[in-house]
Amino acid sequence: MSNYHIKNLEEYYQVYRKSVRNPELFWEEVAEEHFVWKKTWDKVLNYDFSKPEVKWFEGAELNITENCIDRHLATRGDKTAILFEPNNPDEEAEKISYTELHKRVNQFANVLKDNGIKKGDRVCIYLPMIPELAISLLACARIGAIHSVVFAGFSSSALGTRINDCEAKMVITSDGSFRGVKTIDLKGIVDEALEDCTTVETVLVAKRIHSDIPMKEGRDQWLQPLLDKASEECEAEVMKAEDPLFILYTSGSTGSPKGMLHTTAGYMVYTAYTFKNVFNYRENDVYWCTADIGWITGHSYIVYGPLANGATTVMFEGVPSYPDFGRFWQIVEKHKVSQFYTAPTAIRALAKENLEYVDKYDLSSIKVLGTVGEPINEEAWHWYNDNVGKKKNPIVDTWWQTETGGMMISPIPYATPTKPTYATLPLPGVQLALMDEQGNEIHGNQVDGRLCVKFPWPSMARTIWGNHQRYKDTYFSAFSDKYFTGDGALRDEVGYYRITGRVDDVIIVSGHNLGTAPIEDAINEHPAVAESAIVGFPHDIKGNALYGYVILKETGEGRDHNNLRKEINQIITEHIGPIAKLDKIQFTEGLPKTRSGKIMRRILRKIAHNELDNLGDVSTLLNPEVVQSIIDKRLSSELVS
Ligand code: WTA
């Protein structure tokens, strides 16, 4: 029995049981078999969830880039590592071999060093989906610098907050980006963000759109001339197993974004292991994940997991609708993609379009389809299965989080029978628990509860950068001795899991996690706004959209509501980014509150969902009369265009 490429359900259960009976032995076997270590570990696992502290492979020394690049050179030097597909289909795709990647990562690493970046320094990366993005991650890892990628759709203020939080010494960006018919001035956004940042000494600028942009003397440098001069050799820094690899920010239900810290060895072992198993990756496959590297999915399953397996990984710069809605399928045909991994929101958007966009292309290269980021609804699952998978390719519905680093619940293709809307079974090494609100574990099947993990897995985030207490409070305090995911789930009669959604104030819009508090804070900055509350409501493409209830100050009364709605969305765009814009804004005189002054979002959510028969007991509210007035006005609430 191999831990890899599990062939059937019985074998899955065998491997799973082995991983639970002796997790240390299980992960030790995986770590020994598939990686190069400069020194092996003294102890596989040390942990204490009460602190919480988790250490995997302590004593080991390695560099993740040697595992992702150098060790493939002898056998896969000419194989394509990164296959870059540009936004414009007329621009030629670029195939970067492992040998070429080695050279480019080393040159980039030398440029980082020449600009004063050392092991442990933080480097913020704000780049579009161009090869430099993947290369800059690897260059940081090569020298032990901690990368912190910020999705290039975030606003200058969101970028600035993240740069300041991790005290980045450098920002890597580009002169702009292409997205469909649009170009975006990324460097301008960086300049604005840096007005309030004191730690950044250098900005490296990649050329992508060839626009003439201002460069700040002494701070900004064009990347390419530096790369051209740099040596192609750069020795990999010796990293300890638990040395930080990267920080990636994710939204919390309250407060500022959380800088989740991932460390080196455990993250590498787990993402590589899950990549190979969940996608059934074979040597000549071409794998494509459509996510942006600005999110965890891109870190783990465009860059590190695939490259650690010597895979060919596609990086797509553009959007699914450009030049038309057939772009994804055109790329699958063109590059003979074997594994295709995307988000339910993209599937729903494409399912609305004419089927000809799919049928026009030869998708016979596909072997495995994947989804991630939010629960997939039954209709979207069937559309994907029927039209893309032609009813013959397994769909892996993978549940996981920025915090988990790698996939946690997913079918194994050809082994786990799939079931629409179910992420199915925990992957080897993942020990789940469903909890009731009193803190008791719910045993047995056909139950639902709050989803927790009761034993460490190698790629779990180790802390929140600069705030370990918040890490403990957010993930390890709701239930003693367990990691709490923030999601609800049900377990069916055979033990399959279905994720039912967030149980906190995080709303997933088009697969992006958005905390309500930062959006409310942004809205409240509008001079006419007194108070606001955000909830999610179902949306047929985005999954959820945002519904805002806004109380105006006296100064705002009498103003044109449509203008106000636009201004509110403008403020949100400036503070967070366009992904957090509200679809509906209802102006109201009050918000339902408990006697202690807490906004009762449960009621607001029901109103936004139009579930008016079932509001529950409102009599204990401080201001029960406000509920009816909100309902009355709801009927006239308008969409923001
Ligand atoms: C949700 C993305 C249902 C979930 C990798 C989780 C999902 C949050 C699924 C993490 C899925 C992700 N089915 N829900 N297959 N995958 N989620 O941090 O609520 O961007 O907690 O990580 O997305 O989102 P994040």
Side-chain angles (χ1 to χ4, degrees):
M1 176 184 66
S2 160
N3 296 329
Y4 284 89
H5 289 159
I6 293 164
K7 283 188 282 306
N8 52 47
L9 197 58
E10 196 186 327
E11 199 174 300
Y12 157 80
Y13 279 116
Q14 279 172 11
V15 174
Y16 184 76
R17 274 195 294 268
K18 178 173 136 188
S19 77
V20 170
R21 248 193 329 261
N22 194 339
E24 295 194 36
L25 183 67
F26 178 81
W27 289 113
E28 180 159 43
E29 257 181 46
V30 173
E32 269 170 356
E33 214 178 327
H34 284 277
F35 303 91
V36 290
W37 303 89
K38 290 179 191 286
K39 177 176 171 292
T40 50
W41 45 92
D42 305 319
K43 180 130 185 48
V44 178
L45 172 65
N46 240 323
Y47 84 103
D48 177 352
F49 273 180
S50 70
K51 283 184 176 168
E53 183 179 82
V54 176
K55 291 182 173 167
W56 283 93
F57 307 110
E58 244 189 318
E61 291 176 354
L62 72 156
N63 187 290
I64 195 168
T65 67
E66 290 188 331
N67 283 278
C68 289
I69 309 170
D70 303 47
R71 77 178 155 119
H72 305 309
L73 294 177
T75 50
R76 303 184 176 108
D78 295 333
K79 178 174 174 179
T80 300
I82 295 174
L83 203 173
F84 172 62
E85 172 68 27
N87 177 61
N88 180 348
D90 298 330
E91 194 182 320
E92 211 173 310
E94 184 183 347
K95 293 185 174 174
I96 303 173
S97 69
Y98 274 93
T99 303
E100 171 84 10
L101 184 63
H102 182 250
K103 184 183 111 182
R104 289 175 67 175
V105 167
N106 282 345
Q107 285 179 315
F108 207 135
N110 284 323
V111 169
L112 296 179
K113 284 206 282 195
D114 292 345
N115 282 280
I117 299 299
K118 294 184 300 297
K119 179 173 177 179
D121 286 344
R122 274 79 60 208
V123 173
C124 173
I125 302 172
Y126 188 71
L127 280 170
M129 283 287 283
I130 55 177
E132 286 82 353
L133 174 52
I135 292 169
S136 63
L137 263 65
L138 295 162
C140 287
R142 187 82 175 170
I143 64 166
I146 305 171
H147 58 73
S148 170
V149 183
V150 176
F151 171 60
F154 274 119
S155 70
S156 60
S157 135
L159 172 63
T161 308
R162 287 158 176 78
I163 291 172
N164 281 334
D165 185 77
C166 70
E167 299 176 294
K169 217 167 147 182
M170 176 186 271
V171 177
I172 304 172
T173 189
S174 70
D175 60 347
S177 67
F178 294 120
R179 279 185 78 71
V181 290
K182 287 194 265 187
T183 54
I184 299 157
D185 171 20
L186 291 188
K187 173 64 167 45
I189 297 173
V190 170
D191 288 342
E192 226 175 277
L194 291 184
E195 280 171 18
D196 298 318
C197 299
T198 53
T199 56
V200 173
E201 293 167 9
T202 315
V203 177
L204 299 181
V205 188
K207 266 209 166 103
R208 178 58 183 144
I209 66 169
H210 296 271
S211 79
D212 192 17
I213 52 161
M215 297 287 277
K216 187 169 168 183
E217 181 87 40
R219 187 195 69 182
D220 303 349
Q221 302 199 60
W222 290 108
L223 178 63
Q224 195 57 48
L226 303 179
L227 290 173
D228 292 341
K229 280 188 294 203
S231 156
E232 295 173 9
E233 288 306 321
C234 176
E235 204 165 312
E237 185 77 32
V238 179
M239 303 296 285
K240 295 202 171 65
E242 284 296 334
D243 277 342
L245 177 64
F246 67 84
I247 298 167
L248 185 62
Y249 287 87
T250 185
S251 305
S253 47
T254 55
S256 51
K258 297 171 289 191
M260 304 313 306
L261 182 80
H262 284 282
T263 58
T264 305
Y267 176 82
M268 173 184 79
V269 168
Y270 192 81
T271 53
Y273 176 77
T274 47
F275 172 79
K276 188 161 173 173
N277 269 325
V278 173
F279 293 115
N280 200 282
Y281 186 82
R282 308 281 170 159
E283 186 60 39
N284 295 318
D285 291 346
V286 173
Y287 160 85
W288 180 21
C289 164
T290 70
D292 191 290
I293 292 176
W295 308 113
I296 191 71
T297 306
H299 281 60
S300 303
Y301 299 110
I302 295 179
V303 182
Y304 290 113
L307 296 179
N309 281 286
T312 297
T313 177
V314 175
M315 256 185 95
F316 174 46
E317 182 183 29
V319 294
S321 55
Y322 177 78
D324 63 39
F325 287 98
R327 187 69 193 276
F328 274 2
W329 321 122
Q330 180 252 335
I331 296 173
V332 167
E333 178 184 283
K334 177 173 166 193
H335 297 303
K336 301 198 171 44
V337 169
S338 333
Q339 289 90 359
F340 178 77
Y341 191 29
T342 196
T345 186
I347 298 169
R348 288 191 296 262
L350 295 173
K352 284 207 134 152
E353 303 301 324
N354 199 317
L355 254 188
E356 273 176 25
Y357 286 121
V358 191
D359 292 342
K360 222 162 97 180
Y361 297 101
D362 176 7
L363 306 183
S364 60
S365 57
I366 288 179
K367 297 198 278 193
V368 177
L369 294 173
T371 86
V372 60
E374 58 185 311
I376 181 165
N377 50 308
E378 193 139 1
E379 214 183 325
W381 194 96
H382 283 295
W383 185 88
Y384 200 32
N385 187 46
D386 295 352
N387 301 301
V388 184
K390 316 290 182 199
K391 296 195 175 138
K392 67 179 176 53
N393 294 306
I395 295 179
V396 292
D397 176 356
T398 64
W399 173 85
W400 58 293
Q401 308 178 296
T402 305
E403 295 86 338
T404 68
M407 302 158 175
M408 301 290 278
I409 310 179
S410 170
I412 306 257
Y414 315 111
T416 318
T418 58
K419 177 174 175 183
T421 76
Y422 282 75
T424 74
L425 297 169
L427 292 172
V430 176
Q431 302 189 31
L432 303 173
L434 291 180
M435 308 296 291
D436 67 19
E437 283 178 44
Q438 285 70 48
N440 305 309
E441 182 169 352
I442 310 167
H443 294 282
N445 288 343
Q446 286 188 297
V447 291
D448 64 79
R450 298 179 171 224
L451 183 64
C452 288
V453 190
K454 52 187 178 182
F455 194 84
W457 64 101
S459 66
M460 62 191 294
R462 303 297 197 257
T463 191
I464 292 175
W465 180 260
N467 199 345
H468 196 66
Q469 187 61 40
R470 187 174 179 202
Y471 178 67
K472 180 174 177 174
D473 294 346
T474 312
Y475 303 106
F476 292 89
S477 302
F479 304 104
S480 97
D481 231 21
K482 287 176 188 67
Y483 165 82
F484 174 45
T485 63
D487 282 335
L490 61 82
R491 194 160 51 215
D492 78 357
E493 61 289 352
V494 298
Y496 275 16
Y497 287 85
R498 174 187 187 168
I499 309 301
T500 47
R502 301 291 308 181
V503 294
D504 57 11
D505 288 329
V506 171
I507 304 169
I508 304 195
V509 178
S510 299
H512 303 146
N513 293 6
L514 299 171
T516 51
I519 303 176
E520 291 162 6
D521 291 347
I523 299 173
N524 298 348
E525 298 225 344
H526 190 291
V529 170
E531 199 179 0
S532 60
I534 304 294
V535 295
F537 73 99
H539 183 282
D540 59 357
I541 291 180
K542 300 178 185 181
N544 295 294
L546 300 178
Y547 191 125
Y549 297 90
V550 175
I551 306 179
L552 292 174
K553 288 183 188 157
E554 252 174 57
T555 51
E557 281 167 18
R559 287 209 37 200
D560 180 77
H561 280 182
N562 276 336
N563 283 342
L564 279 170
R565 288 187 176 100
K566 285 188 188 127
E567 288 168 21
I568 287 171
N569 267 341
Q570 184 54 33
I571 289 202
I572 295 173
T573 305
E574 282 160 19
H575 278 71
I576 300 157
I579 49 179
K581 285 203 287 196
L582 310 183
D583 272 39
K584 288 185 182 181
I585 299 177
Q586 173 175 353
F587 295 103
T588 168
E589 266 99 67
L591 292 167
K593 291 195 176 162
T594 62
R595 287 180 195 276
S596 61
K598 217 172 157 270
I599 297 173
M600 285 295 281
R601 286 169 206 281
R602 183 178 54 77
I603 293 173
L604 294 174
R605 218 173 280 137
K606 292 236 154 115
I607 298 174
H609 285 217
N610 212 4
E611 291 170 9
L612 304 179
D613 320 335
N614 176 19
L615 288 180
D617 184 11
V618 298
S619 64
T620 56
L621 291 176
L622 189 66
N623 49 354
E625 71 291 347
V626 99
V627 175
Q628 194 53 48
S629 89
I630 293 179
I631 293 172
D632 293 344
K633 281 227 188 132
R634 184 201 180 276
L635 304 172
S636 62
S637 87
E638 281 168 47
L639 275 167
V640 182
S641 56

